[in-house]
Coordinates of all heavy atoms in Angstrom, one line a residue:
L1 N 0.8 -1.2 0.0 CA 0.0 0.0 0.0 C 0.8 1.3 0.0 O 0.3 2.3 -0.3 CB -0.9 0.0 1.2 CG -2.0 -1.1 1.2 CD1 -2.7 -1.1 2.5 CD2 -2.9 -1.0 0.0
V2 N 2.1 1.2 0.4 CA 3.0 2.4 0.4 C 3.1 3.0 -0.9 O 2.9 4.3 -1.1 CB 4.3 2.1 1.0 CG1 5.2 3.3 0.9 CG2 4.2 1.6 2.5
P3 N 3.3 2.3 -2.0 CA 3.4 3.0 -3.3 C 2.1 3.5 -3.8 O 2.1 4.5 -4.6 CB 4.0 1.9 -4.3 CG 3.7 0.6 -3.6 CD 3.7 0.9 -2.1
L4 N 1.0 2.9 -3.4 CA -0.3 3.5 -3.8 C -0.6 4.8 -3.1 O -1.1 5.8 -3.6 CB -1.4 2.5 -3.4 CG -1.6 1.3 -4.3 CD1 -2.7 0.4 -3.9 CD2 -1.8 1.7 -5.8
F5 N -0.2 4.9 -1.8 CA -0.5 6.1 -1.0 C 0.5 7.2 -1.3 O 0.2 8.4 -1.2 CB -0.4 5.7 0.5 CG -0.6 6.9 1.4 CD1 -1.9 7.6 1.5 CD2 0.4 7.4 2.2 CE1 -2.1 8.6 2.3 CE2 0.2 8.5 3.0 CZ -1.0 9.1 3.1
C6 N 1.7 6.9 -1.7 CA 2.8 7.8 -2.0 C 3.0 8.8 -0.9 O 2.7 10.0 -1.0 CB 2.4 8.6 -3.3 SG 2.3 7.6 -4.8
P7 N 3.5 8.4 0.3 CA 3.7 9.2 1.4 C 4.7 10.3 1.2 O 5.7 10.1 0.5 CB 4.1 8.3 2.5 CG 4.7 7.1 1.8 CD 4.0 7.0 0.5
S8 N 4.5 11.5 1.8 CA 5.5 12.6 1.6 C 6.6 12.4 2.7 O 6.5 11.7 3.6 CB 4.8 13.9 1.9 OG 4.3 13.9 3.3
P9 N 7.7 13.1 2.5 CA 8.8 13.0 3.5 C 8.4 13.5 4.8 O 8.8 12.9 5.9 CB 9.9 14.0 2.9 CG 9.6 14.0 1.4 CD 8.1 13.8 1.3
S10 N 7.5 14.5 5.0 CA 7.0 14.9 6.3 C 6.2 13.8 7.0 O 6.3 13.6 8.2 CB 6.2 16.2 6.1 OG 5.1 16.0 5.3
Y11 N 5.4 13.1 6.2 CA 4.6 12.0 6.7 C 5.6 10.9 7.3 O 5.4 10.4 8.4 CB 3.7 11.4 5.7 CG 2.9 10.2 6.2 CD1 1.8 10.4 6.9 CD2 3.4 8.9 6.0 CE1 1.1 9.3 7.4 CE2 2.7 7.8 6.5 CZ 1.6 8.0 7.2 OH 0.9 6.9 7.7
F12 N 6.6 10.6 6.5 CA 7.6 9.6 6.9 C 8.3 10.0 8.2 O 8.4 9.2 9.1 CB 8.6 9.4 5.8 CG 9.8 8.6 6.2 CD1 9.8 7.3 6.4 CD2 11.0 9.3 6.5 CE1 10.9 6.5 6.9 CE2 12.2 8.6 6.9 CZ 12.1 7.2 7.1
C13 N 8.6 11.2 8.3 CA 9.3 11.7 9.5 C 8.4 11.6 10.7 O 8.9 11.2 11.8 CB 9.8 13.2 9.3 SG 11.1 13.3 8.1
S14 N 7.1 11.9 10.6 CA 6.2 11.8 11.7 C 6.0 10.4 12.2 O 5.9 10.1 13.4 CB 4.8 12.4 11.3 OG 4.2 11.7 10.4
V15 N 6.0 9.5 11.2 CA 5.8 8.0 11.6 C 7.1 7.5 12.3 O 7.0 6.8 13.3 CB 5.5 7.2 10.3 CG1 5.6 5.7 10.6 CG2 4.1 7.5 9.8
M16 N 8.2 7.9 11.8 CA 9.5 7.4 12.4 C 9.6 8.0 13.8 O 10.1 7.3 14.7 CB 10.6 7.8 11.5 CG 10.7 7.0 10.2 SD 10.5 5.2 10.4 CE 12.0 4.8 11.2
R17 N 9.2 9.3 14.0 CA 9.3 9.8 15.3 C 8.4 9.0 16.3 O 8.8 8.7 17.4 CB 8.8 11.3 15.3 CG 8.8 12.0 16.7 CD 8.3 13.4 16.6 NE 8.3 14.0 17.9 CZ 7.3 13.8 18.8 NH1 6.3 13.0 18.6 NH2 7.4 14.4 20.0
E18 N 7.2 8.7 15.8 CA 6.3 7.9 16.7 C 6.9 6.5 17.0 O 6.8 6.0 18.1 CB 4.9 7.7 16.0 CG 3.9 6.9 16.8 CD 2.6 6.8 16.2 OE1 2.4 7.4 15.1 OE2 1.7 6.1 16.7
Q19 N 7.6 5.9 16.0 CA 8.2 4.6 16.2 C 9.3 4.7 17.3 O 9.4 3.9 18.2 CB 8.7 4.1 14.9 CG 9.4 2.7 15.1 CD 9.5 1.9 13.8 OE1 8.8 2.2 12.9 NE2 10.2 0.8 13.9
F20 N 10.1 5.7 17.2 CA 11.2 5.9 18.1 C 10.7 6.1 19.5 O 11.2 5.6 20.5 CB 12.2 7.0 17.7 CG 13.1 6.6 16.6 CD1 13.1 7.3 15.4 CD2 13.9 5.4 16.7 CE1 14.0 6.9 14.4 CE2 14.7 5.1 15.6 CZ 14.8 5.8 14.5
V21 N 9.6 6.9 19.7 CA 9.1 7.2 21.0 C 8.5 5.9 21.6 O 8.8 5.6 22.8 CB 7.9 8.3 20.9 CG1 7.1 8.3 22.2 CG2 8.5 9.6 20.5
R22 N 7.8 5.1 20.8 CA 7.3 3.9 21.3 C 8.4 2.9 21.7 O 8.3 2.2 22.7 CB 6.3 3.2 20.3 CG 5.0 4.0 20.2 CD 4.0 3.2 19.5 NE 2.8 3.9 19.3 CZ 1.6 3.4 18.9 NH1 1.6 2.1 18.5 NH2 0.5 4.1 18.7
A23 N 9.4 2.8 20.9 CA 10.6 1.9 21.2 C 11.2 2.4 22.5 O 11.6 1.5 23.3 CB 11.6 2.0 20.0
Y24 N 11.4 3.7 22.7 CA 12.0 4.1 23.9 C 11.1 3.7 25.1 O 11.6 3.3 26.2 CB 12.1 5.7 23.8 CG 12.7 6.3 25.1 CD1 14.0 6.2 25.4 CD2 11.8 6.9 26.0 CE1 14.5 6.8 26.6 CE2 12.3 7.5 27.2 CZ 13.7 7.4 27.4 OH 14.2 8.0 28.6
R25 N 9.8 3.9 25.0 CA 8.9 3.5 26.1 C 9.0 2.0 26.4 O 8.9 1.5 27.5 CB 7.5 3.9 25.7 CG 7.2 5.4 25.8 CD 5.8 5.7 25.3 NE 5.6 7.1 25.4 CZ 4.5 7.7 24.8 NH1 3.6 7.0 24.2 NH2 4.3 9.0 24.9
R26 N 9.1 1.2 25.3 CA 9.2 -0.3 25.5 C 10.5 -0.6 26.3 O 10.5 -1.4 27.2 CB 9.2 -1.0 24.2 CG 7.8 -1.2 23.5 CD 7.8 -2.4 22.6 NE 8.8 -2.3 21.5 CZ 8.6 -1.7 20.4 NH1 7.4 -1.1 20.1 NH2 9.6 -1.7 19.5
I27 N 11.6 0.1 25.9 CA 12.8 -0.2 26.6 C 12.7 0.2 28.1 O 13.3 -0.5 28.9 CB 14.0 0.6 25.9 CG1 14.3 0.1 24.5 CG2 15.3 0.6 26.8 CD1 15.2 0.9 23.7
G28 N 12.0 1.3 28.3 CA 11.8 1.7 29.7 C 10.7 0.9 30.5 O 10.5 1.2 31.7
G29 N 10.1 0.0 29.8 CA 9.1 -0.8 30.5 C 7.7 -0.2 30.6 O 6.8 -0.8 31.2
S30 N 7.5 0.9 29.9 CA 6.2 1.6 30.0 C 5.3 1.4 28.7 O 4.2 1.9 28.6 CB 6.3 3.1 30.2 OG 7.0 3.7 29.2
G31 N 5.8 0.6 27.8 CA 5.0 0.3 26.6 C 4.9 -1.2 26.3 O 5.6 -1.7 25.4
P32 N 4.2 -1.9 27.1 CA 4.3 -3.4 27.0 C 3.4 -4.0 26.0 O 3.3 -5.2 25.9 CB 3.7 -3.8 28.4 CG 2.7 -2.7 28.8 CD 3.3 -1.4 28.2
S33 N 2.7 -3.2 25.1 CA 1.7 -3.8 24.2 C 2.2 -4.9 23.3 O 1.6 -5.8 23.0 CB 1.1 -2.7 23.4 OG 0.4 -1.8 24.2
Y34 N 3.5 -4.8 22.9 CA 4.0 -5.7 21.9 C 5.1 -6.6 22.5 O 6.0 -7.1 21.8 CB 4.5 -5.0 20.7 CG 3.5 -4.2 20.0 CD1 3.7 -2.9 19.6 CD2 2.2 -4.7 19.7 CE1 2.7 -2.1 18.9 CE2 1.2 -4.0 19.0 CZ 1.5 -2.7 18.7 OH 0.5 -2.0 18.0
N35 N 5.2 -6.7 23.8 CA 6.2 -7.5 24.5 C 6.1 -9.0 24.1 O 7.1 -9.7 24.4 CB 6.2 -7.3 26.0 CG 6.9 -5.9 26.4 OD1 7.3 -5.2 25.5 ND2 6.8 -5.6 27.6
H36 N 5.0 -9.4 23.6 CA 4.9 -10.8 23.3 C 5.5 -11.1 21.9 O 5.6 -12.3 21.5 CB 3.4 -11.2 23.2 CG 2.6 -10.5 22.2 ND1 2.3 -9.1 22.3 CD2 1.9 -10.9 21.1 CE1 1.6 -8.8 21.3 NE2 1.3 -9.8 20.6
L37 N 6.0 -10.1 21.3 CA 6.7 -10.3 20.0 C 8.2 -10.2 20.2 O 8.7 -9.1 20.6 CB 6.2 -9.3 19.0 CG 4.7 -9.3 18.7 CD1 4.3 -8.1 17.9 CD2 4.3 -10.5 18.0
H38 N 8.9 -11.3 20.0 CA 10.3 -11.3 20.4 C 11.3 -11.1 19.3 O 12.4 -10.6 19.5 CB 10.6 -12.7 21.1 CG 9.7 -12.9 22.3 ND1 9.7 -12.1 23.4 CD2 8.8 -13.9 22.5 CE1 8.8 -12.6 24.3 NE2 8.3 -13.6 23.8
K39 N 10.9 -11.5 18.1 CA 11.9 -11.3 17.0 C 12.0 -9.8 16.6 O 11.2 -9.0 16.9 CB 11.4 -12.1 15.8 CG 11.4 -13.6 15.9 CD 10.9 -14.3 14.7 CE 10.8 -15.8 14.9 NZ 10.3 -16.4 13.6
K40 N 13.1 -9.5 16.0 CA 13.4 -8.1 15.6 C 13.6 -8.0 14.1 O 14.3 -8.9 13.5 CB 14.6 -7.6 16.3 CG 14.5 -7.7 17.9 CD 13.4 -6.8 18.4 CE 13.3 -6.9 19.9 NZ 12.2 -6.0 20.5
L41 N 13.1 -7.0 13.5 CA 13.3 -6.8 12.1 C 13.7 -5.3 12.0 O 12.8 -4.4 11.9 CB 12.1 -7.1 11.2 CG 12.3 -6.9 9.7 CD1 13.3 -8.0 9.2 CD2 11.0 -7.1 9.0
P42 N 15.0 -5.0 12.0 CA 15.4 -3.6 12.1 C 15.0 -2.7 11.0 O 15.0 -3.1 9.8 CB 17.0 -3.7 12.2 CG 17.2 -5.1 12.6 CD 16.1 -5.9 12.0
F43 N 14.6 -1.5 11.3 CA 14.3 -0.5 10.3 C 13.2 -0.9 9.3 O 13.3 -0.6 8.1 CB 15.5 -0.1 9.6 CG 16.6 0.3 10.5 CD1 17.8 -0.4 10.6 CD2 16.5 1.5 11.3 CE1 18.8 -0.1 11.4 CE2 17.6 1.9 12.1 CZ 18.7 1.1 12.2
A44 N 12.2 -1.6 9.7 CA 11.2 -2.1 8.8 C 10.4 -1.0 8.1 O 10.2 -1.0 6.9 CB 10.2 -3.0 9.6
N45 N 10.0 0.1 8.9 CA 9.3 1.1 8.3 C 10.2 2.0 7.3 O 9.7 2.5 6.3 CB 8.7 2.0 9.3 CG 7.4 1.4 9.9 OD1 6.7 0.6 9.2 ND2 7.1 1.7 11.2

């Protein structure tokens, strides 16, 4: 769907910011929603 939507650079930056914030919260133990997923796929977005 990414090529159909054609996201702008500003949209990409906002999504990556949200991803880093959530990753930081998970590391700190305050974002447990996805703790049942153990594998890692770096830089997927």
Side-chain angles (χ1 to χ4, degrees):
L1 297 175
V2 174
L4 286 179
F5 178 67
C6 299
S8 65
S10 62
Y11 177 84
F12 167 73
C13 291
S14 67
V15 170
M16 293 307 295
R17 178 183 180 277
E18 182 179 355
Q19 178 158 348
F20 283 124
V21 168
R22 290 195 181 187
Y24 177 78
R25 289 174 179 170
R26 282 204 303 270
I27 293 170
S30 61
S33 295
Y34 300 133
N35 282 357
H36 61 295
L37 303 171
H38 302 299
K39 296 180 182 179
K40 304 294 181 183
L41 186 64
F43 308 112
N45 283 332

